[in-house]
Amino acid sequence: MTTARRPFVHDGIAYGCDYNPEQWDPSVWAEDVALMTEAGVDLVAINVFGWSHIEPRQGEFDFTALDRVIDLLAAAGIGINLGTGTSSTPPWLTRLHPEILPMTEDGTLRYPGGRQAWCPSSPVFREAALALVDAVARRYGSHPAVELWHVSNELGCHNALCYCDTSAAAFRVWLEARYGTIDALNSAWGTAFWSQTYREWDEILPPRATLSTRNPGQQLDFHRFSSDTLLDYFRAEAEIIRAISDKPVTTNFMVTAHIENLDYWSWAADMDVIANDHYLDNRLSDPRTELSFAADLTRGLAGGEPWLLMEHSTGAVNWQPLNRAKAPGQMIRNSLTHVARGADAVCFFQWRASVQGSEKFHSAMLPHAGTDSALWREVVELGGIVDRIAEVAGSRVVSEVAIVFSWEAWWATQTESRPSHELGYLEQMHAAYAALYAQGVSVDVVAPGADLSGYRLVVAPGLHLVRAAEASVITDWIAAGGTAVVTFYSGIVDENDRVWTGGYTGPFRQALGVAVEEFAPVAAGEPLRLTSGATASLWSERFRATTAAVIDSFADGPSAGGPAITRNTWGEGAAWYVATLPSAADYRALFARVVAEAGVTATARMRAGSDVETVRRRGENADYLFVINHGGDVAVAEATGHDLVTDAAVSGEIEIPGGSVRIIREEALV
Ligand code: GAL
């Protein structure tokens, strides 16, 4: 995007939800708006799934109901986050044009009846969708209640990877633009292997299901193509809106566990404001730390600026194998964790719990039980807190630590043939992040190649795919006095998935002072001990420390006797290498040492409390210290200022009861 970002203008922290009034009789709408006001809701996303309502037949628009909903919300002073309505196609479109349906890798179609049943490369879909966007933008583009445009919904949630013939043709066009010549493509994909050399562009297909493993270079480029295709689609919608309306435009990202298909680093600059949907994933061993990581990554996408939490849940979702209810107070803690980590909006999916459709058992702000419920009371309580912390809006999180995150490395790590199928990119990321999080320090999440000045510590977990220039940013920064930790399976392939030879860790090798010769992964449950007494799992490797000092060695396992953790002096700085996955406790101990060595300061001084999250946001006139006590016992933190949650002055050692949150304006410290 070349134009300047349009600011999202809102008074304080926004509090809101998706609202799907089309699921209800209009007689309910007035009550909805009255209750929204009671809860303090002031930003509502509508028309997200509106297509079949506002365009009942091709080219016939009917805005009567949407006009009424907008009037009701506007009259109550509620800001509108206006959906373009294109995320889910109406039945008339797929009946007229079944060629827009997406195809999975095994060549089977996916039918309408769910949502997102469209191929991202389909020109037919695009034309129909953009006609709708144009109509919506013309009707509401200058409506004073519209605060934000919500393009489509979670682009790529279901349809990111489409393997149909239309996608195949678009993939070839994308490849030709990337490589110019077929020889360059053959070289990038390593097609000399298994007789895959292409002679004509038309021979190339998306990586559809094969009998054996597929070409990893082809798969990697298909990921890039698919991400770019949806970004291009976003741009097409945004361009129409921006020509008609002067309000900011965004779409809701899915920075959350296991959603890997879009490289949001390449999307971020196109958003006027970054918005994210996050759902606690109770399939993970530590869902709460993942929430913090996702919020930090979202802030990274926003370049450190505030961002909007567009969706999360008040309680259970409906799409995990076991959909856990939130514990009392958990919704408030989860919401304020997002705010602590940079969110200037707390929104939920959705306002009123559906009584029909596949999401009828998904929690909402207004549950099936109605307002005489603990959940509703917590929704109202949270609305009050969000109001009282209005002044936090616009402030920025302070961090001295950066962790490097890469969607390309994620894609390249997860290819079909790898040293161990127990090795996952995100799992390595979460393990390193959890060990840092436990130190009570804030972490920024940055892209490979990002400017590192200002940080004291940089961590690169499993940065498998890395370009030489991106690695140099890290190694030069170390040489200039930084402390970095690089973990195993980093620096293995270049951007074409081609192995860096001459000893693994490739472009990091010299700075780390190691020469890795062979991977030696271990199976779950197999013992892996280090000579210090620490325990580890998943991975070992056979390597020599060339110039590095050996900090710990493998006591058993396939690399017994060899180094496991090393530290090298590189220029003015220090480069640590961790060639295994330490147990959670040992990883924490390692980071305690590294954090101290790097001179990173903890966010707050705590005297008690074992399960406390602390984050500081820095405003123009004050710092805001968030202390979130996830544990059951009283925590004690040192802070002086005014607690915005309880609206009380605090000074010295303050007590935070189990399960509660304090947000302290620390005027004295600035
Ligand atoms: C999101 C989506 C919402 C709703 C929600 C349920 O992926 O944007 O429309 O489906 O999940 O958790």
Side-chain angles (χ1 to χ4, degrees):
M1 196 182 67
T2 48
T3 48
R5 283 189 166 171
R6 298 170 176 193
F8 169 66
V9 181
H10 190 89
D11 200 12
I13 307 269
Y15 190 48
C17 50
D18 276 25
Y19 179 36
N20 297 301
E22 58 277 2
Q23 294 177 16
W24 300 94
D25 188 87
S27 59
V28 174
W29 299 348
E31 184 197 39
D32 281 334
V33 173
L35 289 174
M36 285 176 188
T37 307
E38 182 181 326
V41 164
D42 57 12
L43 182 70
V44 164
I46 50 173
N47 195 40
V48 174
F49 295 100
W51 199 341
S52 69
H53 300 274
I54 58 178
E55 191 179 3
R57 274 163 292 277
Q58 185 154 34
E60 255 180 52
F61 295 98
D62 179 358
F63 290 109
T64 327
L66 192 54
D67 283 353
R68 230 178 110 198
V69 170
I70 289 184
D71 286 348
L72 277 170
L73 292 168
I78 296 172
I80 291 166
N81 174 12
L82 188 56
T84 54
T86 53
S87 62
S88 216
T89 50
W92 59 255
L93 180 60
T94 43
R95 184 171 69 98
L96 284 177
H97 294 290
E99 71 274 23
I100 73 171
L101 295 176
M103 183 180 275
T104 55
E105 61 181 2
D106 65 357
T108 57
L109 284 183
R110 286 297 173 264
Y111 292 93
R115 64 177 177 186
Q116 265 184 6
W118 50 274
C119 159
S121 298
S122 166
V124 178
F125 168 77
R126 191 183 277 218
E127 191 185 332
L130 296 186
L132 179 71
V133 175
D134 185 68
V136 174
R138 281 183 199 288
R139 186 149 192 105
Y140 304 112
S142 47
H143 196 292
V146 173
E147 288 187 11
L148 183 65
W149 284 96
H150 180 302
V151 166
S152 192
N153 187 60
E154 291 191 341
L155 283 162
C157 179
H158 311 282
N159 65 348
L161 305 179
C162 174
Y163 297 79
C164 74
D165 288 342
T166 305
S167 296
F171 186 36
R172 288 179 206 119
V173 171
W174 183 92
L175 289 167
E176 222 174 320
R178 181 175 174 89
Y179 293 108
T181 67
I182 200 108
D183 286 349
L185 175 137
N186 280 316
S187 160
W189 287 8
T191 56
F193 179 79
W194 280 355
S195 184
Q196 292 173 351
T197 304
Y198 296 98
R199 306 295 172 197
E200 306 286 341
W201 293 102
D202 281 353
E203 294 164 1
I204 300 170
L205 293 171
R208 291 179 183 152
T210 51
L211 290 172
S212 66
T213 49
R214 286 168 274 193
N215 182 311
Q218 180 187 12
Q219 287 182 294
L220 182 60
D221 269 346
F222 191 62
H223 271 295
R224 291 183 175 124
F225 155 77
S226 301
S227 176
D228 285 0
T229 301
L230 279 166
L231 173 57
D232 189 65
Y233 175 74
F234 169 85
R235 286 178 176 155
E237 281 208 23
E239 191 183 326
I240 292 176
I241 299 165
R242 288 187 176 121
I244 296 171
S245 165
D246 60 1
K247 297 295 164 50
V249 183
T250 193
T251 190
N252 41 348
F253 286 179
M254 297 166 287
V255 176
T256 185
H258 305 304
I259 303 273
E260 63 174 282
N261 285 328
L262 305 180
D263 181 353
Y264 287 129
W265 291 126
S266 67
W267 285 55
D270 277 270
M271 306 297 130
D272 287 320
V273 58
I274 297 290
N276 194 47
D277 295 352
H278 183 273
Y279 290 93
L280 267 192
D281 192 335
N282 287 307
R283 294 165 291 192
L284 298 173
S285 58
D286 184 3
R288 211 188 73 219
T289 307
E290 189 280 333
L291 184 160
S292 297
F293 171 74
D296 286 348
L297 173 50
T298 308
R299 184 177 72 254
L301 291 164
E305 303 270 336
W307 50 278
L308 312 178
L309 177 64
M310 196 75 100
E311 289 182 22
H312 74 313
S313 70
T314 56
V317 297
N318 66 312
W319 43 264
Q320 292 174 19
L322 175 77
N323 295 299
R324 291 188 189 280
K326 288 191 178 174
Q330 190 183 0
M331 175 190 74
I332 291 183
R333 291 191 299 277
N334 287 171
S335 297
L336 295 177
T337 294
H338 286 290
V339 176
R341 295 176 185 278
D344 271 5
V346 174
C347 301
F348 293 95
F349 177 85
Q350 61 177 327
W351 166 249
R352 187 185 276 269
S354 299
V355 291
Q356 292 182 292
S358 34
E359 292 184 329
K360 64 181 178 296
F361 296 127
H362 194 290
S363 60
M365 294 181 92
L366 182 56
H368 290 152
T371 53
D372 188 10
S373 59
L375 198 147
W376 172 256
R377 285 184 281 276
E378 201 170 318
V379 162
V380 174
E381 185 185 345
L382 176 59
I385 297 174
V386 167
D387 262 357
R388 290 198 293 285
I389 65 171
E391 65 184 75
V392 171
S395 58
R396 297 171 65 121
V397 174
V398 185
S399 301
E400 297 173 337
V401 182
I403 198 164
V404 182
F405 181 87
S406 160
W407 272 276
E408 289 184 306
W410 188 354
W411 297 335
T413 300
Q414 306 290 131
T415 47
E416 291 161 332
S417 300
R418 55 188 192 268
S420 164
H421 276 263
E422 283 166 30
L423 172 67
Y425 178 69
L426 204 56
E427 289 73 9
Q428 296 314 304
M429 188 63 51
H430 288 163
Y433 178 88
L436 276 167
Y437 171 99
Q439 312 305 318
V441 302
S442 280
V443 179
D444 280 351
V445 184
V446 301
D451 177 18
L452 301 174
S453 50
Y455 294 113
R456 291 177 184 274
L457 172 65
V458 169
V459 182
L463 190 58
H464 180 65
L465 178 155
V466 69
R467 293 168 181 78
E470 293 163 349
S472 302
V473 171
I474 298 174
T475 53
D476 291 351
W477 174 84
I478 300 169
T483 300
V485 178
V486 175
T487 79
F488 65 90
Y489 216 46
S490 290
I492 307 301
V493 298
D494 69 9
E495 67 176 304
N496 294 325
D497 203 46
R498 184 188 281 119
V499 171
W500 292 103
T501 54
Y504 295 132
T505 76
F508 295 117
R509 195 179 58 229
Q510 273 197 304
L512 295 174
V514 298
V516 180
E517 297 178 18
E518 196 178 0
F519 305 140
V522 294
E526 278 177 16
L528 193 60
R529 277 174 303 225
L530 307 188
T531 45
S532 64
T535 56
S537 62
L538 187 72
W539 194 264
S540 82
E541 53 193 28
R542 295 170 179 162
F543 74 104
R544 282 170 294 122
T546 49
T547 55
V550 176
I551 304 293
D552 213 341
S553 301
F554 290 108
D556 55 19
S559 307
I565 299 175
T566 58
R567 180 187 181 282
N568 193 42
T569 302
W570 182 246
E572 303 293 308
W576 290 74
Y577 183 55
V578 183
T580 188
L581 176 63
S583 70
D586 292 314
Y587 220 162
R588 286 197 295 272
L590 176 67
F591 270 114
R593 180 171 169 182
V594 176
V595 157
E597 174 186 305
V600 176
T601 42
T603 304
R605 238 197 289 235
M606 301 294 308
R607 200 173 52 74
S610 55
D611 204 1
V612 180
E613 185 167 8
T614 52
V615 187
R616 180 170 286 106
R617 285 181 67 162
R618 176 150 297 165
E620 272 179 27
N621 303 313
D623 278 3
Y624 298 95
L625 175 66
F626 286 69
V627 188
I628 302 168
N629 186 355
H630 297 283
D633 303 331
V634 173
V636 180
E638 263 183 42
T640 297
H642 192 87
D643 173 30
L644 303 175
V645 175
T646 57
D647 194 15
V650 294
S651 141
E653 295 201 329
I654 62 162
E655 293 199 342
I656 302 103
S660 53
V661 182
R662 295 289 178 266
I663 303 173
I664 297 142
R665 183 204 300 128
E666 302 176 302
E667 293 136 323
L669 297 185
V670 200

